[in-house]
Amino acid sequence: MVAEALLGSWNDTPARRAIVAFVQAASGEGSPGWVPPAERVAVFDNDGTLWSEKPIPIQLDFTLFRLAELATRDPSLRDRQPYKAAVERDYRWLGEAMVKHYHGDDADLRLLEGGVESAFEGMGVEAYGAEVLAWLDTAAHPVLRRPYLSCGFVPMVELLRYLEANGFTTYIASGGDRDFMRPFAETIYGIPPERVIGSALGLDFDDSDADTRLVYKSKIEFFDDGPQKPVRIWSRIGRRPLVAGGNSNGDIPMMRFARSGDRGALRLLVLHDDADREFAYTAGAEDALDRARTHGWTIVSVKDDWKTIFADR
Amino acid sequence: MVAEALLGSWNDTPARRAIVAFVQAASGEGSPGWVPPAERVAVFDNDGTLWSEKPIPIQLDFTLFRLAELATRDPSLRDRQPYKAAVERDYRWLGEAMVKHYHGDDADLRLLEGGVESAFEGMGVEAYGAEVLAWLDTAAHPVLRRPYLSCGFVPMVELLRYLEANGFTTYIASGGDRDFMRPFAETIYGIPPERVIGSALGLDFDDSDADTRLVYKSKIEFFDDGPQKPVRIWSRIGRRPLVAGGNSNGDIPMMRFARSGDRGALRLLVLHDDADREFAYTAGAEDALDRARTHGWTIVSVKDDWKTIFADR
């Protein structure tokens, strides 16, 4: 049993008590809810669950940066979406593309994906990782006015450590690009590359030189959201999660997949209800909130359950 | 520095000495070849590298069993390949399909894949794993006359433990089906499901019941061989391997991918040259052997380098 002191940024509320009770039951020797350590798998969405996703997912800001760069090189792109939004830094168009997606309208998301898909064509995986880190080193959140690298939710990082201290293995399972998250996931979340699950561009193996490379194609291999989340979790881990955390409708399948037979699961849904300290929104999370309320999932209120949200700068 | 005594089934030959020298250099504090533990990734092909693959890969025998079962239910299948080979237990047709594949002719492999793809359509992932274990519990090797579960190469299992004892993380990276290998990989090799990389059938998420399931589609998602091996390794691990072991032409890309910049890698190619104790063949491994000889890869001779091959029954 590891000290709950690890959860220092959490208020003493029902959400925190539900987490502690579940973890103690799963990891306590002789507890009726005991689960073997190998089966203690915890998966967490990233955008909106481990760090802020408003006004647009942080990865989209990186993509904007790249697309604007491409439009600067080729002016014929400037009047077309998503390049137009990139050059004009039109966060609204991009944010709405995601909300529309969660409501079943993928038209704008397709345009965006087309841009994203071709933005890194032919680049090697290691070079891409270096670009991500170089950009993150200087990029800051436009509203929160802090470096993106300090936009991780401290209570969630504490939760990752608390779970690990109790024998859980933690994974990120996000709709974001796997190779975008990998370079910083260890720094921000303490999660190594092999435990980062996400969307992926197709890859080609280039063996034309003595030193081989993997290079991105201009085609997405899979978009890891909704029903793809359990598929990617199984592909990577080969086990069902015991703990699943998310914040949007796209996380429902992953959270439902957490249950196997009559084994209980801890399902955490982060509710963004703190306009003063972060953001307040439920768009794209309506179904998840409904299900949480009718099925006893644990709703984590940013406003009520978190003493602090971000690390001091 | 961990005792080389772990490699007790290896003869004291150049292959064993190359392994020990590389592992000592990578893991020895203050060694010029030292590599951080997180980067000590070792990947191994399965069929022909960790266990026997002749006269046909063991998974194909499982598939034969299943296809014959399907042909029993639907007699119209009996005169068509691969069902015909399954009912007649015609190992030759199946073995040759693999050899033809390694030589660039995929016609028979396509027929076989079609059969394999549809053989488990609609089955849940956990039910499939249970079928694999139930079959392995009784199935025996037709030539070696031992249970399939004891067809693992003891020296390679020792090598996995030796690598792990020196801070390496071991993975299987095989052309075989990921979910076929997972149920027994822990028992035979001590490798858990999350470290088994392989080919995969597509999966659908079935959430029609309260207890969700992942079920197989009748379509392969990817065949993890040749240039797909580095792609799947990167997808899963997000790092290049430092040690790569294989035995056929399909392992060349994975073994070449092991090199990053001027960092050395240990590349092991198992040579099946022991007709008395196992099998002797080089079909489908010609290019790999050529490359091993011209590029200084370490060839592991079953006959000369391994004191024992299989565990006592």
Side-chain angles (χ1 to χ4, degrees):
Chain A
M1 206 70 58
V2 165
E4 298 152 32
L6 283 172
L7 300 174
S9 299
W10 291 72
N11 288 317
D12 184 17
T13 56
R16 183 184 187 279
R17 287 194 289 270
I19 291 168
V20 170
F22 184 87
V23 170
Q24 287 188 349
S27 61
E29 291 291 337
S31 147
W34 186 82
V35 175
E39 297 288 331
R40 291 181 210 155
V41 169
V43 296
F44 291 91
D45 170 61
N46 183 38
D47 295 310
T49 301
L50 297 180
W51 73 357
S52 289
E53 65 175 349
K54 294 292 175 184
I56 55 164
I58 294 171
Q59 186 190 343
L60 286 189
D61 199 18
F62 174 60
T63 306
L64 280 181
F65 169 82
R66 173 75 179 178
L67 294 179
E69 205 176 56
L70 292 173
T72 303
R73 285 187 219 158
D74 178 1
S76 74
L77 298 173
R78 278 184 212 166
D79 293 327
R80 286 166 47 195
Q81 294 291 22
Y83 304 95
K84 188 170 184 293
V87 171
E88 296 168 4
R89 300 187 70 75
D90 178 4
Y91 289 154
R92 211 184 20 139
W93 184 86
L94 294 151
E96 281 171 7
M98 291 308 295
V99 172
K100 283 181 188 169
H101 158 69
Y102 288 125
H103 288 127
D105 172 5
D106 281 352
D108 284 357
L109 187 68
R110 291 256 162 71
L111 278 180
L112 191 56
E113 279 179 0
V116 172
E117 283 180 338
S118 63
F120 298 99
E121 187 179 358
M123 189 181 281
V125 291
E126 283 111 344
Y128 177 75
E131 294 263 322
V132 170
L133 284 182
W135 176 78
L136 275 178
D137 221 30
T138 61
H141 195 288
V143 178
L144 298 171
R145 305 276 168 205
R146 53 170 54 243
Y148 277 139
L149 283 173
S150 69
C151 285
F153 301 140
V154 170
M156 295 304 280
V157 175
E158 290 176 355
L159 177 58
L160 294 172
R161 294 298 88 74
Y162 174 66
L163 288 166
E164 290 162 5
N166 285 284
F168 282 77
T169 305
T170 57
Y171 290 84
I172 293 174
S174 167
D177 175 51
R178 177 194 67 209
D179 290 352
F180 173 76
M181 294 182 284
R182 278 173 162 167
F184 64 79
E186 187 125 36
T187 310
I188 302 187
Y189 307 126
I191 294 187
E194 59 271 25
R195 292 197 265 121
V196 176
I197 306 171
S199 299
L201 287 168
L203 287 168
D204 274 326
F205 183 62
D206 173 7
D207 61 359
S208 53
D209 291 323
D211 198 12
T212 60
R213 290 193 316 152
L214 284 173
V215 297
Y216 295 107
K217 298 200 246 203
S218 65
K219 194 166 160 33
I220 201 164
E221 187 182 352
F222 48 79
F223 183 50
D224 184 15
D225 197 38
Q228 269 294 302
K229 284 206 171 188
V231 173
R232 297 343 304 178
I233 288 168
W234 180 265
S235 299
R236 185 73 70 89
I237 311 175
R239 310 180 195 266
R240 290 188 190 234
L242 189 63
V243 172
N247 76 300
S248 79
N249 297 343
D251 296 316
I252 294 174
M254 164 177 90
M255 291 166 83
R256 291 193 58 191
F257 184 58
R259 181 195 165 92
S260 177
D262 51 8
R263 186 179 81 175
L266 177 67
R267 298 178 183 85
L268 302 171
L269 190 73
V270 176
L271 171 65
H272 293 271
D273 56 359
D274 194 332
D276 292 338
R277 298 188 300 168
E278 200 237 0
F279 298 97
Y281 60 97
T282 54
E286 301 88 342
D287 297 345
L289 284 163
D290 279 353
R291 186 167 273 273
R293 287 175 184 131
T294 53
H295 287 73
W297 298 3
T298 301
I299 295 178
V300 173
S301 155
V302 170
K303 187 182 164 109
D304 298 332
D305 295 321
W306 291 353
K307 208 174 287 175
T308 55
I309 303 177
F310 301 111
D312 288 340
R313 272 167 286 182
Chain B
M1 208 67 59
V2 167
E4 299 151 31
L6 284 172
L7 300 175
S9 300
W10 291 71
N11 288 317
D12 184 18
T13 56
R16 182 184 188 278
R17 289 194 288 270
I19 291 168
V20 170
F22 184 87
V23 170
Q24 287 187 349
S27 61
E29 292 291 336
S31 148
W34 186 82
V35 175
E39 297 288 332
R40 291 181 210 156
V41 169
V43 295
F44 291 91
D45 170 61
N46 183 38
D47 295 309
T49 301
L50 297 181
W51 74 356
S52 289
E53 66 176 347
K54 293 293 175 186
I56 56 163
I58 294 170
Q59 185 190 343
L60 287 190
D61 200 17
F62 174 60
T63 306
L64 280 182
F65 169 81
R66 173 77 178 176
L67 294 179
E69 204 176 55
L70 292 173
T72 304
R73 286 188 221 160
D74 177 1
S76 74
L77 298 172
R78 278 184 212 164
D79 292 327
R80 287 167 47 196
Q81 292 293 19
Y83 305 95
K84 188 170 184 295
V87 171
E88 296 169 3
R89 300 189 69 76
D90 179 5
Y91 289 156
R92 210 184 22 138
W93 183 86
L94 294 151
E96 280 171 8
M98 291 308 295
V99 172
K100 283 181 187 169
H101 159 69
Y102 287 127
H103 287 129
D105 172 5
D106 281 352
D108 284 355
L109 188 68
R110 291 254 162 72
L111 278 181
L112 192 55
E113 280 178 1
V116 173
E117 283 180 337
S118 63
F120 298 99
E121 187 179 359
M123 189 181 281
V125 290
E126 283 111 344
Y128 177 75
E131 293 263 320
V132 170
L133 284 182
W135 176 78
L136 275 177
D137 222 31
T138 61
H141 196 287
V143 179
L144 298 171
R145 306 275 168 206
R146 53 170 54 243
Y148 277 140
L149 283 173
S150 70
C151 285
F153 302 140
V154 170
M156 295 304 280
V157 175
E158 290 177 356
L159 176 59
L160 295 172
R161 296 296 90 74
Y162 175 66
L163 288 166
E164 289 161 6
N166 284 283
F168 283 76
T169 305
T170 57
Y171 290 84
I172 293 174
S174 167
D177 175 50
R178 178 194 66 209
D179 290 352
F180 174 76
M181 295 182 285
R182 278 173 162 167
F184 63 80
E186 188 124 36
T187 310
I188 303 187
Y189 308 127
I191 294 187
E194 60 270 25
R195 292 198 265 120
V196 176
I197 306 170
S199 299
L201 287 169
L203 287 168
D204 273 327
F205 183 61
D206 173 8
D207 60 359
S208 53
D209 292 322
D211 198 12
T212 61
R213 290 192 318 152
L214 284 173
V215 297
Y216 295 108
K217 298 200 247 204
S218 64
K219 196 169 157 31
I220 200 163
E221 187 183 352
F222 47 77
F223 183 51
D224 185 15
D225 197 38
Q228 269 294 304
K229 284 207 170 187
V231 172
R232 296 345 303 178
I233 288 169
W234 179 266
S235 299
R236 185 72 71 89
I237 311 176
R239 312 180 192 264
R240 288 187 190 235
L242 188 63
V243 172
N247 76 301
S248 79
N249 298 343
D251 296 317
I252 294 174
M254 166 177 91
M255 291 167 84
R256 291 193 58 191
F257 184 59
R259 180 193 166 93
S260 176
D262 50 9
R263 186 180 80 173
L266 177 66
R267 298 179 184 84
L268 302 172
L269 189 73
V270 175
L271 171 65
H272 293 271
D273 56 359
D274 193 330
D276 291 338
R277 297 188 300 167
E278 200 237 0
F279 298 97
Y281 60 98
T282 54
E286 302 88 342
D287 298 346
L289 284 163
D290 279 353
R291 186 167 274 272
R293 287 175 183 130
T294 52
H295 287 72
W297 297 3
T298 301
I299 296 177
V300 174
S301 156
V302 170
K303 188 182 163 108
D304 298 332
D305 295 322
W306 291 353
K307 208 175 287 174
T308 54
I309 303 178
F310 301 112
D312 287 340
R313 272 168 285 181

